[in-house]
Amino acid sequence: MTAPLTAELRPRASRRSRRTIATASATALLATMFSASAGVAFAAELPDTYIDTASTVWSYSDNDTDPAAGSDDRLSWTTGDFDDAAWKSATGTFGAKRGEAEGIGANFPITTLLNQYVDGEAPPNVRTFHFRTDVTVTADELSELNGLSGTVTYDDAIQIFVNGTQVAGFVDDKVDAAPEAERNLMYAGSSNGSPLTSTFTVPTDVLQAGENTVAVALYQDRDTSSDIYFDMSELAPLVTPEHASFDNLVMSIGSDESSRNLTWYTDVDEAQYVQYAVAPASGAEFPADSATTVDAAGGETTSGEQNRRATLDGLSENSTYAYRVGSDALGWSDVQMFSTADFTGDYNFLFFGDPQIGASGNVASDKAGWQDTLDVALEQFPQSEMLFSAGDQVNTASSENEYDAYLSPKQMQQIPTVPVIGNHDVGSKAYEQHYTTPNLDSEAGTALSDSSSGGDYWFSFKGVLYMVINSNNPDINAHEQFLRDVVAEHGADARWSVVAFHHSIYSVAAHVNDSNIISMRNELPTLISDLGVDLVLQGHDHSYTRSYLINDGELANPDETAASNDVVAGEGDVLYVTANSASGSKYYDVTAPDAWYASVINQEKVRNYTNIEVTDDAITITTYRSEQSVARAAVNSVVDEVTLTREDTVAPQLTVPTSGEVEQGSDFDPMAGVSATDVRDGDLTDAVMVNGSVDTATLGTYSLEYSVADAAGNTQTATREVTVVAAEVPGTGPGAEPGDDAEDDAGSAPGSSGDSASGELPYTGAEALPWLVAAGLLVMLGVGLAVTAAVRRRRLNA
């Protein structure tokens, strides 16, 4: 049956416990129906999980020693042959905070206290902790499995092994870069703040029937780190589901207003598609027979799942579409809806600062704040055409739990998002695996490592050019070439140009004096002004700042009024806006209240969003509270509002007819065919001034000068020459026919002098010439006859 239309995704199926097995009661029932002698094979009864926090006993070493010391094989301690009898043993969770079994937070309880310090009392820390446990997988179970799905929480870095083979590593770049002999005992990772949660997959080819050894290396990031934490809460069976899952479905911006990109995660590596069509009437079935079907590309993700992505092209304006993802073989997602508007003209979009789901340590709370901000903003501005994020969508680049929360709002499947890559997004491939961005140049903002994300991209939307760069990459030269190439190819067609990147160079809070910020502040503004950019959108500093107009890194106008609601930009003048948190997950206090570039500063530690209205003549940027402030300012009350216009330096367009002729005595209108228009002021034809005149009674050439001025005083002039010519005599012009009688037309006989005042040409006698010739011939003939007669008479007389 064809799926009915609905606005929601189906409830998310657990990635960790999808099984196509019978329950115990069903198995018992089947056993009574068929005897063992009938040779019927029954599916193995798979457990919910092979590892859990409460019951799994781990052997562990926390004495700052290398468990493989003396062995030629660094990973000997990760195999089943290793003797860990001398190690401690306990159930999880494991951890310490300054040597104590508490203090990390309510979400991270410690059941077993680890020996945090080498001497047991004070730094330096134990560098690496080692854990081992065994899980039993029967041959029947192994035949059913497509792998195992694990969930692990850790601080600071971790590597996971099964039967001597590494199956996962998180925040472990330093480990991979270290000499082999040092990898069992070293500092690694980065200061994560709260412990991180990640998922991983154990492929079946590393499993064996019987005992399987799971080993973990847990790394402290430095000798003064305050805490350490480890909990493997799940290692669940993975089997082929009856229906594939379609998770984290997100719509991102296309290359222009007529396209959209879709990306989603799935649990099977099978061909999948997008089907889309103009939405039928409410309640009708999805029109599968008439839908456009697009193949989806993709591959395995860093979290052990599959992603799929596809582009919807050739959309029509002012249309509502229905779409679904999946396949006939795997099933289809619930149907989603989205709409397009006019492809030209005015529009608005919403700009959000650093949702950073998980930054508070409470993913559920951050998720709720993010959802509420979207709801508030779209209730106020339901026609918004983009959801533009300033970066740091999640707190931990590899955390699928945080991505689940960030992408959960239904609006993420219905309105195209524009994701900027932040410093919390860059450390994993998850960012580029979750989003499909248009015109991506992975070399311009290249990823910083093989395990991180990167790239610069651009798109055009209703005549506005948007360029998004990866400011995590410090290679300004590469960014410059990308920006210059895009502007050279598309800038002339853009009514406005907007640049977005994460690391604000004109903010006033915690990051204002970071070395990378200072470096970008010294290099980027001159480039941005030179490119003719109008607006720069930024995040990172979790407080609101709106700059004065800035040109080449300096105040464009030292006399500009602070907090002005209207700013007029001259050539090279740029407005910079830094957004506050959209989810409320984290705020930074203002540390530079007297920054020379800051026109407006606001930090009330309440959630914000910004509505940006775009017209031909102006961009209006209004920032609102999406929750009530401590000062009792209400939801949707204004934090700041500014309208950006350009200084009008464009002269009107003046159209004047080319030089021409007018007949003597006829009427002449000097404004016939004359028009004037201005990009801002519209039709200025009535304002055109004419200097000079044409006397149609007098033959000659006359010069007219036209001029027009717009409201800003820009003028345009043009010159025109008009020649007054004598009127043509009827019947004598190029169109006269043979036999036309000039006498009848003029009312005078040949030989008359004519009347110049009547417009006729003066008479010249040329009309009498044929008569004179004829008369001469007759005279000559008469003379000839007379001579002949005289000769005859003489002959007769003789």
Side-chain angles (χ1 to χ4, degrees), residues 362-444:
N362 188 329
V363 171
S365 175
D366 297 346
K367 173 184 176 181
W370 169 233
Q371 177 70 75
D372 189 54
T373 293
L374 283 174
D375 291 343
V376 167
L378 287 165
E379 182 178 359
Q380 183 81 347
F381 300 100
Q383 303 304 315
S384 300
E385 297 192 45
M386 293 187 291
L387 306 177
F388 208 121
S389 171
D392 281 3
Q393 283 74 227
V394 297
N395 185 60
T396 305
S398 61
S399 175
E400 289 305 316
N401 186 39
E402 292 169 6
Y403 270 109
D404 289 346
Y406 176 71
L407 297 174
S408 63
K410 64 181 182 297
Q411 294 96 333
M412 302 298 285
Q413 292 103 49
Q414 300 170 348
I415 305 171
T417 186
V418 184
V420 176
I421 186 169
N423 57 296
H424 284 266
D425 305 312
V426 74
S428 164
K429 289 293 185 184
Y431 168 89
E432 59 190 54
Q433 290 165 353
H434 275 292
Y435 305 109
T436 301
T437 53
N439 305 310
L440 177 67
D441 186 339
S442 58
E443 295 301 318

Side-chain angles (χ1 to χ4, degrees), residues 241-246 266 268-272 326-332:
E242 293 178 354
H243 188 296
S245 69
F246 311 107
T266 182
V268 292
D269 186 14
E270 302 289 345
Q272 297 183 23
S327 71
D328 288 338
L330 299 173
W332 293 95

Side-chain angles (χ1 to χ4, degrees), residues 663 726-736 740 742 745-746 755-756 758-762:
E663 287 190 351
E728 190 173 281
V729 176
T732 64
D740 285 350
D745 291 340
D755 184 0
S756 62
S758 69
E760 300 175 10
L761 291 176

Side-chain angles (χ1 to χ4, degrees), residues 660-709:
E661 297 180 347
V662 59
E663 287 190 351
Q664 186 178 27
S666 64
D667 293 332
F668 174 70
D669 180 5
M671 289 301 296
V674 174
S675 65
T677 58
D678 183 69
V679 292
R680 294 197 182 184
D681 300 331
D683 187 1
L684 293 179
T685 303
D686 290 343
V688 175
M689 306 295 292
V690 184
N691 184 27
S693 61
V694 175
D695 180 6
T696 59
T698 305
L699 300 177
T701 299
Y702 299 85
S703 181
L704 301 177
E705 294 183 355
Y706 294 81
S707 63
V708 64

Side-chain angles (χ1 to χ4, degrees), residues 607-638:
R607 291 181 277 112
N608 286 179
Y609 72 92
T610 299
N611 180 59
I612 300 181
E613 301 273 354
V614 181
T615 70
D616 283 340
D617 300 334
I619 299 178
T620 300
I621 304 152
T622 310
T623 298
Y624 297 88
R625 301 169 181 88
S626 57
E627 63 177 327
Q628 188 162 290
S629 76
V630 293
R632 311 304 293 173
V635 173
N636 278 325
S637 56
V638 174

Side-chain angles (χ1 to χ4, degrees), residues 50-62:
Y50 289 96
I51 287 177
D52 62 52
T53 300
S55 63
T56 299
V57 177
W58 294 86
S59 297
Y60 66 97
S61 170
D62 59 356

Side-chain angles (χ1 to χ4, degrees), residues 49 120 289 317 330 348 424 441 451 598 631 685:
T49 183
D289 293 341
E317 61 183 350
L330 299 173
N348 80 288
H424 284 266
D441 186 339
S451 61
T685 303

